[in-house]
Amino acid sequence: MLLLKLILESFRFAYNALIVNKLRTFLSLLGITIGIFCIISVLTVIDSLERAIRNSMESLGTNVIYIQKWPWAPPEGETEYPWWKYMNRPVPKLQEAEDIMRRSQLTREASFNVFYRRTVQVGKSRAENVEIVGTSPGLIHIWSLDVARGRSFSEIEMNSARNLGMLGADVASQLFPNEDPVGKTIKIQGYKIYIIGVFTKMGEDMFGTSMDKRVLIPIKFAARLVDIRSDMGQSIIVKGKDGVSAQRLHDDLEGVMRSIRRLKPSEENDFALNEVSLISGQLDNFFRIFNLAGWIIGGFAILVGGFGIANIMFVSVRERTKIIGIQKSLGAKNYFIMLEFLFESVVLSVMGGLIGLLIVYGGAVFVSLVSSFQISLTLGNILTGIFISATIGVVAGMLPARKASGLDPVEAINTV
């Protein structure tokens, strides 16, 4: 009951301080508000950005390795990307994907893919710059693609040169706005392609790519349209079996690829084994630096806010010196006076923090409404903001509270 009474009195004193000295209180709380806004807004944006990027990377597949000519990142320990070392590497080949399926004991799927852009036509309707994906069996399972209408390719169809295709959701709605595309035909480079299925809409990832804007065709049919042996950014996408770690799969594929390409033990790899973890490691460093910058910027604002809170508390002690003397003469203990001012300091500081959090929340809602980037203020960040505010309140109120608790009751009552 004593603690509850103390808390209620602290709220009352804090409220009176806000009402009586509006401008002073506003200026004192402004530092805390700005500091919490800086720190929590940075944490919120980083959390939302990291969540979106990691969700995008998950769309590349879990426990998946991309065998390509070009690595996604410079070699470990190097800051420059040595592109000149990779220029003359051979590109991945369809036969190599088939060899991996035969030789690798840890591989569940291995799909050879080429990506290029062409105009897709249906009658007088045209879709410009559509990404065409020529693929061998396995890609649909590796990327966990769902079919909304129609069906997916059979393995026989994928291994043949039949002119069949599957549309992404956006391509389908653009070319066939008022009808079901399944069973209809499209034209690419003058070739007719029969549509057998449409993928479920997936949306765009953080890298600007989307399955909704693609057309899938069998790789051997794609070979009629383009030269799949030229450098077109070909890749062999490999998914490991259940329970196989990424490192084991990486080591196994490295050995298999070296064997396929007949590389001597002294020769370097002439292929890249790219994993999502390569990007994750670089992102971790980026997010760490960005978080640190947010803490430093917000820390200065909070420091100024802490001095503001301390200032208002010293003023409050001076204004209530007689009241403190009366409380002590009536038997109030030093710890009671000290806790009273500490609670008041914490209440003022937390109020400033809550205002900062409210501004962050409003900004997050506004950005989410006007853009496709979704920002959400998490419970963890809210608790972090409140904890920081309360800590600053305790630190800023400690000296004024000690001063108030150490006053002599007789001198305090006689203070003019």
Side-chain angles (χ1 to χ4, degrees), residues 34-50 286-298 360 373 375-377 381:
I34 294 174
I36 293 299
F37 170 77
C38 289
I39 291 177
I40 302 304
S41 61
V42 168
L43 293 178
T44 299
V45 170
I46 288 296
D47 287 348
S48 300
L49 184 62
E50 185 174 6
F286 167 76
F287 291 132
R288 196 177 298 116
I289 293 171
F290 211 72
N291 273 324
L292 179 61
W295 279 99
I296 292 173
I297 294 170
V360 173
F373 181 52
I375 300 180
S376 57
L377 180 59
N381 286 338

Side-chain angles (χ1 to χ4, degrees), residues 351-362:
M351 286 180 66
L354 290 175
I355 294 172
L357 289 171
L358 191 61
I359 296 172
V360 173
Y361 176 75

